[in-house]
């Protein structure tokens, strides 16, 4: 595998690859470089005949805190074309993980916010430790969960997604399971065993058949189209242009309350 700066890939002799978000000091927030490297990793792992299963994890205390603060500041100063390009990169990274022809198992030992919920949604199965917090927190900043939206809706279904999609409220792992975002919630010291239990059946299945079955499931489930992705990008870019977003993001960085909080 190629050398990476923000992620790490380790593959055991069985062909189980661990894809580690490796910015623990930044709570594995998604920077432009991490987005680029995750896209590359999805392609590499998808093409590697020796890889049977991929496990997605986060180093340190968090699974993924969402967008990197530096990346957000750059978006504030950028023009619409640059914002669209960055949003496209995030959307295509999620699409690459979602369509990777290998089983993708999410192992959440820490919190997941914003883009971290999007990352959870593209896993074929996601297992979390008891007590973690999750949330689609974008509307607190005057933004919307746009590029992750197609994957969140595909995972939760519209009715469940609408319970948490707009309010930015945090919810725990038990509610995330109820919403369909997580498959299992276990004690933290049991999470490795729970992930292993998901891995084992795949090692007895034919890899090509697994890839074909995943592709079929995506197609039968209403595959997320290029038009859907482009629409989500357009919505995010137009949202960044609003005075509401400027106020929300500015308030966040200035550590003050935005004007809409009563």
């Amino acid at each position: 595998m190629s050398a990476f700066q923000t992620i790490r890939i380790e593959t055991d002799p069985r062909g189980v690859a661990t894809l580690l978000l490796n910015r623990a000091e930044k709570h594995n927030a998604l920077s432009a470089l991490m987005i680029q490297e995750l896209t590359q990793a999805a392609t590499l792992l998808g093409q590697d005949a020796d890889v049977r299963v991929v496990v997605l994890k986060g180093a340190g205390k968090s699974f993924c805190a969402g967008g990197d603060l530096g990346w957000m500041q750059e978006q504030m100063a950028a023009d619409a074309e640059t914002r669209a390009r960055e949003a496209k990169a995030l959307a295509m990274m999620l699409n690459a993980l979602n369509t990777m022809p290998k089983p993708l198992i999410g192992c959440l030992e820490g919190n997941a916010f914003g883009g971290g919920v999007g990352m959870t949604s593209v896993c074929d199965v996601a297992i979390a430790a008891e007590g973690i917090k999750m949330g689609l927190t974008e509307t607190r900043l005057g933004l919307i969960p746009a590029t992750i939206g197609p994957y969140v809706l595909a995972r939760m279904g519209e009715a469940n997604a609408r319970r948490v999609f707009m309010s930015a409220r945090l919810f725990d792992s038990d509610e995330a399971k109820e919403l369909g975002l997580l498959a299992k919630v276990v004690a933290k010291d049991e999470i490795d065993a729970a992930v292993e239990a998901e891995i084992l059946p795949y090692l007895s299945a034919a890899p090509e058949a697994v890839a074909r079955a995943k592709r079929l499931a995506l197609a039968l489930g209403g595959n997320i189209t290029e038009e859907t992705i482009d629409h989500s990008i357009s919505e995010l870019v137009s949202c960044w242009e609003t005075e509401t977003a400027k106020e929300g993001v500015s308030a966040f960085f200035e550590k003050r309350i935005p004007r809409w909080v009563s």
Side-chain angles (χ1 to χ4, degrees), residues 25-114:
E25 75 286 356
K26 300 290 187 181
H27 295 275
N28 301 314
L30 294 166
S31 65
L33 180 58
M34 180 181 269
I35 290 168
Q36 176 187 332
E37 292 188 339
L38 282 168
T39 306
Q40 294 171 352
T43 300
L44 289 169
L45 290 166
Q47 294 174 347
D48 190 336
D50 293 328
V51 172
R52 304 285 298 273
V53 182
V54 180
V55 178
L56 179 64
K57 302 179 67 172
K61 296 181 178 180
S62 300
F63 175 68
C64 176
D68 179 78
L69 298 184
W71 181 85
M72 288 179 58
Q73 287 179 313
E74 290 172 1
Q75 299 315 296
M76 282 185 68
D79 56 25
E81 183 179 351
T82 301
R83 288 170 177 162
R85 185 172 64 247
E86 292 297 309
K88 180 83 169 181
L90 174 58
M92 298 317 294
M93 179 271 285
L94 292 167
N95 186 63
L97 288 172
N98 190 54
T99 59
M100 183 173 58
K102 313 283 179 172
L104 181 60
I105 301 172
C107 177
L108 282 72
E109 299 177 270
N111 296 341
F113 304 124

Side-chain angles (χ1 to χ4, degrees), residues 4 14 21 45 60 71 115 138 150 154 173 180 190 222 232 241 257:
F4 295 108
R14 303 175 300 169
L21 309 179
L45 290 166
W71 181 85
E138 288 85 348
S173 49
E190 297 175 359
S232 70
E241 299 293 324
I257 298 171

Side-chain angles (χ1 to χ4, degrees), residues 225-237:
T225 65
E226 186 176 344
E227 289 75 19
T228 301
I229 292 171
D230 287 344
H231 179 65
S232 70
I233 292 168
S234 175
E235 286 294 314
L236 181 59
V237 171

Side-chain angles (χ1 to χ4, degrees), residues 116 131 182 220:
L182 300 174
L220 294 177

